[in-house]
Amino acid sequence: RDQVKSPELNVIGTLSSDESLRGGQASVTSSQVSSQSSSLVIRNMAGDMGMKIGAGACCTLCCIGVLLLAILLPMSLKRVNMDEYGIKYNKLTKKYSDKVLEMGLHNVGPTGQVLKYKRTVLNVEMKGADAMHCLSYDGVEVLMEAQIQYQIMFSEVVDILDEFGDEDKIRIYVRAVAGEAMRAACANFTAELFYFSRDRLQAEMLKAVSDAFIDAESHCRVNIVNLLDVRLPPTITGAIENTQLAVQDSEKATNERGQVLIEAETDLFKAQKAEEITIVNAQAQVNSIVAKIENQIDQLEQKWFERTRAFSNMKKLLELSPKEFVQSYLKSVLLQSAVNPIVNLPNTEFDSSVQPQPNDLTTSGRGSGRGKVKTATE
């Protein structure tokens, strides 16, 4: 409607008024002018509409671009957690990248996705209904429950995807390889070793599973093999326990016998030491008595030696014979030192027939309380 006021339409109006004045000749010219004016009006209207359509289309495209960006950008960004490995996979082309993605945000495109594998320690448990049955070296059936801890190696993630697919399939493969290796290792142990040597058995199982993982190209590393339980048939267990009890009783008896022997040897040793101490003490006492007696002997010998020398000197000074010395000098010394001496005893040296009288054996007078006097012979 805005085009009605355009100059072209004014021209048309002028030409129409002239046509009415000029008559038939002007009618032909008016028709031509009307046709040209109509074409010009249509072109102008199309141009204005084109300008509006172009501006609207540009705005629409920008909106669509922003909308697509808001939709596709989140679809293109995928996160890999710290406990995961990732591999970029294009769902449209059905191809995957040979680069392993680690923790972080990665652009995989709107048609891409990230196939993830755990980088932490994974557990495979074989217990309950999944417990393993195997035969020992001596043909005894053994039931084992175990836990295997393994890790996917970083450099082998692409190979795992190429050979197995997702993580669940490699877990099934790991379980099968570990179970087969442990069953084969069972045949190297007797039932008695299963009962007594759990640590050795566990170490052998770890070695067997590790070697099996390498031989089977599982692309995983074994960390730990834990034997949760080992069960033997009740009859075998009872026989082993009875044997063990008998061995313990024998060892106990041996230990008690050894203890008794030790105690007896200890008592004997104590007695020998006590005897040695007694002998040492007795010898010490004997040595003391002997030393004391020898000392007394020395003193007596010295005393009599000095007396002998003194008497000899006195005898020489007095010029007395031995008989005169004894009957004169020594008699006077004894009489001076004696109390109430007896002086009327017969001289038996010259007259042996004279015998002492009974009244001569007693003291005369009261004296100093000495009592009876011994006979001359005594």
Side-chain angles (χ1 to χ4, degrees):
R1 294 190 180 94
D2 294 336
Q3 300 297 329
V4 177
K5 296 182 179 181
S6 63
E8 290 79 1
L9 295 180
N10 292 332
V11 172
I12 293 174
T14 303
L15 291 176
S16 298
S17 59
D18 292 340
E19 183 182 0
S20 61
L21 296 175
R22 294 176 181 175
Q25 186 178 355
S27 61
V28 177
T29 304
S30 178
S31 298
Q32 295 176 353
V33 173
S34 297
S35 299
Q36 294 176 356
S37 298
S38 298
S39 299
L40 182 59
V41 170
I42 291 171
R43 285 199 299 272
N44 289 335
M45 292 178 67
D48 292 340
M49 291 179 66
M51 291 176 63
K52 289 187 175 183
I53 290 172
C58 183
C59 182
T60 301
L61 290 176
C62 289
C63 293
I64 293 173
V66 172
L67 182 61
L68 289 175
L69 183 64
I71 294 174
L72 297 179
L73 185 60
M75 295 176 61
S76 301
L77 297 178
K78 302 295 182 182
R79 180 178 297 278
V80 177
N81 296 325
M82 63 180 296
D83 61 339
E84 295 174 333
Y85 297 127
I87 296 180
K88 179 181 176 181
Y89 175 72
N90 193 315
K91 294 182 289 186
L92 184 63
T93 60
K94 306 298 182 181
K95 294 181 179 180
Y96 57 85
S97 173
D98 58 355
K99 180 182 178 182
V100 180
L101 304 178
E102 297 191 73
M103 180 184 68
L105 200 62
H106 302 276
N107 182 14
V108 298
T111 61
Q113 72 177 69
V114 175
L115 303 177
K116 297 180 179 180
Y117 299 86
K118 286 291 184 182
R119 68 185 301 171
T120 54
V121 176
L122 301 174
N123 291 328
V124 171
E125 292 187 348
M126 301 177 182
K127 61 181 182 178
D130 297 330
M132 293 179 297
H133 294 266
C134 61
L135 292 178
S136 66
Y137 179 80
D138 45 3
V140 177
E141 184 179 1
V142 181
L143 178 65
M144 289 194 303
E145 293 185 353
Q147 180 189 56
I148 301 171
Q149 296 182 0
Y150 70 97
Q151 278 184 291
I152 296 174
M153 293 186 286
F154 175 80
S155 59
E156 307 288 334
V157 175
V158 177
D159 294 332
I160 290 175
L161 176 61
D162 184 48
E163 297 177 15
F164 298 98
D166 57 19
E167 186 177 317
D168 292 336
K169 291 184 175 63
I170 187 63
R171 182 186 294 271
I172 295 172
Y173 184 69
V174 164
R175 178 188 291 273
V177 172
E180 187 65 25
M182 294 178 72
R183 290 187 185 91
C186 281
N188 298 326
F189 292 88
T190 62
E192 187 175 2
L193 290 177
F194 274 100
Y195 190 86
F196 293 109
S197 303
R198 185 70 60 87
D199 293 339
R200 177 184 170 188
L201 177 64
Q202 188 164 282
E204 290 293 332
M205 291 296 177
L206 175 61
K207 183 179 182 302
V209 173
S210 299
D211 294 341
F213 271 38
I214 295 173
D215 295 339
E217 297 181 354
S218 63
H219 311 295
C220 297
R221 178 179 62 252
V222 180
N223 293 338
I224 297 175
V225 174
N226 289 326
L227 292 180
L228 304 178
D229 191 17
V230 176
R231 292 196 290 270
L232 300 172
T235 54
I236 301 298
T237 303
I240 293 175
E241 290 177 351
N242 292 333
T243 303
Q244 184 65 17
L245 289 175
V247 172
Q248 291 177 356
D249 292 339
S250 176
E251 292 177 351
K252 182 179 179 181
T254 303
N255 294 333
E256 290 178 351
R257 179 177 178 274
Q259 185 67 27
V260 171
L261 289 176
I262 292 173
E263 292 176 355
E265 291 176 355
T266 303
D267 294 339
L268 176 61
F269 178 77
K270 289 180 179 179
Q272 291 174 346
K273 289 299 179 182
E275 181 183 0
E276 292 176 0
I277 293 173
T278 302
I279 293 174
V280 169
N281 292 336
Q283 187 64 41
Q285 292 178 359
V286 169
N287 294 336
S288 176
I289 294 172
V290 170
K292 184 177 179 180
I293 292 173
E294 289 178 351
N295 187 27
Q296 292 176 353
I297 292 172
D298 293 339
Q299 291 178 358
L300 289 173
E301 288 179 350
Q302 184 65 26
K303 176 181 177 181
W304 288 109
F305 174 76
E306 292 177 354
R307 286 185 177 183
T308 302
R309 187 174 58 181
F311 290 155
S312 176
N313 292 333
M314 292 176 64
K315 182 171 71 67
K316 289 179 180 180
L317 289 175
L318 296 175
E319 297 180 353
L320 297 175
S321 64
K323 183 177 179 181
E324 293 174 342
F325 176 77
V326 172
Q327 292 182 355
S328 299
Y329 176 75
L330 291 182
K331 182 178 180 180
S332 64
V333 172
L334 290 174
L335 289 175
Q336 290 177 2
S337 62
V339 178
N340 297 325
I342 301 173
V343 296
N344 58 348
L345 290 175
N347 190 351
T348 58
E349 181 181 357
F350 301 104
D351 189 3
S352 58
S353 61
V354 178
Q355 298 295 328
Q357 300 298 322
N359 56 355
D360 293 334
L361 299 178
T362 58
T363 59
S364 60
R366 294 190 176 180
S368 59
R370 286 177 176 263
K372 290 184 178 181
V373 178
K374 295 183 179 180
T375 63
T377 305
E378 292 176 337

